[in-house]
Amino acid sequence: MISVDQALQKIMARLSECRPTECMLSNSVGHILAEDVQSDIDSPPYDKSLVDGYAVLAEDVKQDVVLEVLEEVLAGQTPTKSIHPKAAIQIMTGAPLPPDASAVVMVEQTSRDQQKVIIHQDTIQPEANIMRQATSLSQGETILSQGTLIRPIEVGILAEIGCTNVPVYQPPKLAIISTGDELVQATTTPQAGQIRNSNGPLLQALATSFGAEAQSLGIGLDNFETLSDLVATGLESDILILSGGVSAGVKDLVPAVLDRHGVEQVFHKLKLKPGKPLWFGVLSSADRQTMVFGLPGNPVSSLVCFLLFVAPVIFRMRGKTSECLQETTACLTADFQQRGDRPTYFPAQLTERNGNRYVTPLAWKGSADQRTLSEANALAFFKAGNQLYPNGEEISVFKIPS
Ligand code: AMP
Ligand code: MG
């Protein structure tokens, strides 16, 4: 069996390409820029005043000096006069500066007497309260680079430079099939032998939270033909996730159904707890491909496999280069006995106190125990092999993004 790292390498070696597209500025938050973006304007577009006050020649400013007010310029207007010695132009914040003005005295430092203004400060530095044309942005300059994550702040910048159709990477389309004769929809009360399909909603929510366009294709019964029909639809997506049906049970039909559709198996099973039965393959044609993940049916195994293997694929296809699971270290708050020959990613609670990080593996009752997961915000990592990790030992922890 291959290791987690080998599995990840094999998956990344088959990664589908990022696809550039355009989206409306109002929908762009969370996307990654697919191209450098240039400004089509200077900002400010002209020399402007940063305050409400009087544009002056800096050398005229002295305590109690009286200057003649030539005109008043509001934001949105342009000055018609230029400053000459012993003159001032009243100006509002953001309005264009009159030619020759070398400073703006704040209105709070003045008093007004009809067409005269009296200055109440000793001196002023040239350029005080002035922002010169193009000091923030200049026309043709690259303002945001390819690979930038668009946050609300970037939306404001893009609006300023007139980029309303934003070049971004297209989020991958992802389909989910939950397999199992025992499954009923979450809206139904399970009858004897039945359980609710929790993986479908869990995986859809996870995929959406990592930025995929996720769609649930519902429950696929453990019947070759009906499962095959659903898989045919799922293979139209960039990523197809199946949950259940990849272990060694007689009704574990997923690998055979995928084989029937020509999906090439890249690996099946790996050294991982929980998640050993993971299946991964690719369906390729000349112009497109579908990456197919058969996740184990147990909800906790499904979650761990999704976080370790599917989330990074979604990230890369969206153009993101950051890691989706942030690794850190923390001190155990209790002894932990690791057993077996598979590395374990154990649901755990990570807390921080006085600048120190602590990790508490939860009282997890096996990979079907979803309830315990609600207390988890991390996966505690333990290497393969029988080993007692004592209370206080520092271990690796992967944060589950919230
Ligand atoms: P399987 O991998 O199909 O053998 O399923 C393993 C275990 O996970 C079984 O106990 C299933 O009932 C459970 N399981 C499978 N699919 C789901 C699902 N969609 N939601 C919740 N539990 C599931
Ligand atoms: Mg099953």
Side-chain angles (χ1 to χ4, degrees):
M1 271 192 293
I2 61 172
S3 68
V4 168
D5 283 349
Q6 287 167 329
L8 202 53
Q9 272 170 21
K10 284 179 187 290
I11 292 167
M12 289 306 170
R14 306 299 293 265
L15 194 62
S16 309
E17 280 184 1
C18 299
R19 282 191 308 264
T21 182
E22 278 190 352
C23 77
M24 277 167 28
L25 181 59
S26 52
N27 293 334
S28 64
V29 167
H31 287 275
I32 307 290
L33 273 182
E35 288 173 21
D36 293 351
V37 183
Q38 283 81 27
S39 178
D40 68 344
I41 49 151
D42 286 345
S43 178
Y46 40 74
D47 299 345
K48 75 172 181 185
S49 174
L50 293 175
V51 296
D52 295 321
Y54 289 87
V56 295
L57 300 177
E59 61 270 24
D60 278 349
V61 171
K62 291 183 186 60
Q63 191 64 254
D64 299 331
V65 79
V66 178
L67 305 176
E68 183 195 355
V69 180
L70 302 177
E71 65 172 344
E72 183 184 76
V73 187
L74 305 177
Q77 295 180 338
T78 33
T80 61
K81 301 188 170 142
S82 55
I83 303 277
H84 56 77
K86 302 286 179 222
I89 287 179
Q90 189 172 13
I91 190 166
M92 306 303 152
T93 306
L97 200 70
D100 305 330
S102 58
V104 180
V105 180
M106 290 173 77
V107 70
E108 292 84 349
Q109 304 293 330
T110 66
S111 53
R112 183 73 181 259
D113 179 12
Q114 313 234 349
Q115 280 311 103
K116 307 277 183 215
V117 59
I118 302 126
I119 306 293
H120 302 303
Q121 65 184 71
D122 294 335
T123 57
I124 196 164
Q125 289 295 317
E127 296 302 306
N129 302 321
I130 291 173
M131 188 171 181
R132 293 290 174 189
Q133 179 172 353
T135 41
S136 170
L137 311 170
S138 56
Q139 195 179 2
E141 183 192 358
T142 293
I143 306 303
L144 295 172
S145 309
Q146 183 265 339
T148 302
L149 169 67
I150 302 173
R151 304 167 301 162
I153 287 170
E154 279 71 29
V155 173
I157 299 169
L158 290 165
E160 185 178 10
I161 62 177
C163 182
T164 49
N165 291 320
V166 188
V168 295
Y169 292 112
Q170 202 171 306
K173 290 194 175 21
L174 182 150
I176 300 152
I177 301 171
S178 309
T179 76
D181 282 342
E182 74 279 29
L183 301 180
V184 292
Q185 288 187 17
T187 47
T188 308
T189 304
Q191 302 302 307
Q194 295 182 328
I195 58 166
R196 289 196 173 106
N197 170 20
S198 58
N199 284 348
L202 167 71
L203 293 168
Q204 187 172 6
L206 277 169
T208 305
S209 73
F210 280 95
E213 270 178 29
Q215 176 199 12
S216 172
L217 300 182
I219 295 168
L221 297 178
D222 294 323
N223 165 295
F224 199 93
E225 294 309 324
T226 49
L227 192 53
S228 183
D229 288 348
L230 270 184
V231 165
T233 307
L235 287 171
E236 291 166 12
S237 298
D238 303 310
I239 302 170
L240 170 61
I241 299 181
L242 296 109
S243 92
V246 284
S247 303
V250 286
K251 287 284 200 167
D252 288 339
L253 303 172
V254 166
V257 170
L258 293 170
D259 183 56
R260 139 94 78 95
H261 284 275
V263 183
E264 173 200 343
Q265 176 182 312
V266 176
F267 66 82
H268 187 190
K269 298 195 168 80
L270 78 168
K271 278 194 189 161
L272 168 64
K273 192 173 153 188
K276 177 176 149 190
L278 177 70
W279 191 101
F280 171 68
V282 181
L283 178 70
S284 308
S285 65
D287 57 344
R288 61 175 301 277
Q289 73 164 15
T290 306
M291 300 175 78
V292 184
F293 294 87
L295 306 188
N298 273 315
V300 183
S301 315
S302 256
L303 172 84
V304 168
C305 287
F306 183 97
L307 292 173
L308 292 180
F309 303 110
V310 185
V313 166
I314 297 173
F315 256 37
R316 294 295 172 272
M317 287 187 71
R318 290 182 55 214
K320 279 195 155 196
T321 49
S322 55
E323 295 302 323
C324 23
L325 280 189
Q326 241 188 57
E327 188 173 1
T328 185
T329 55
C331 294
L332 276 170
T333 58
D335 290 354
F336 184 89
Q337 178 62 55
Q338 162 70 334
R339 289 199 177 83
D341 63 352
R342 285 178 285 150
T344 300
Y345 291 75
F346 203 95
Q349 200 166 58
L350 180 67
T351 50
E352 212 164 318
R353 254 174 293 130
N354 306 327
N356 299 316
R357 281 184 302 278
Y358 300 94
V359 61
T360 309
L362 297 168
W364 184 32
K365 300 173 193 72
S367 46
D369 180 9
Q370 201 169 190
R371 182 181 174 185
T372 305
L373 266 192
S374 73
E375 292 162 40
N377 59 2
L379 300 172
F381 175 73
F382 302 98
K383 283 191 280 196
N386 297 340
Q387 188 183 336
L388 178 75
Y389 289 80
N391 184 0
E393 174 133 340
E394 195 171 64
I395 61 163
S396 266
V397 177
F398 295 89
K399 290 186 194 170
I400 300 174
S402 45

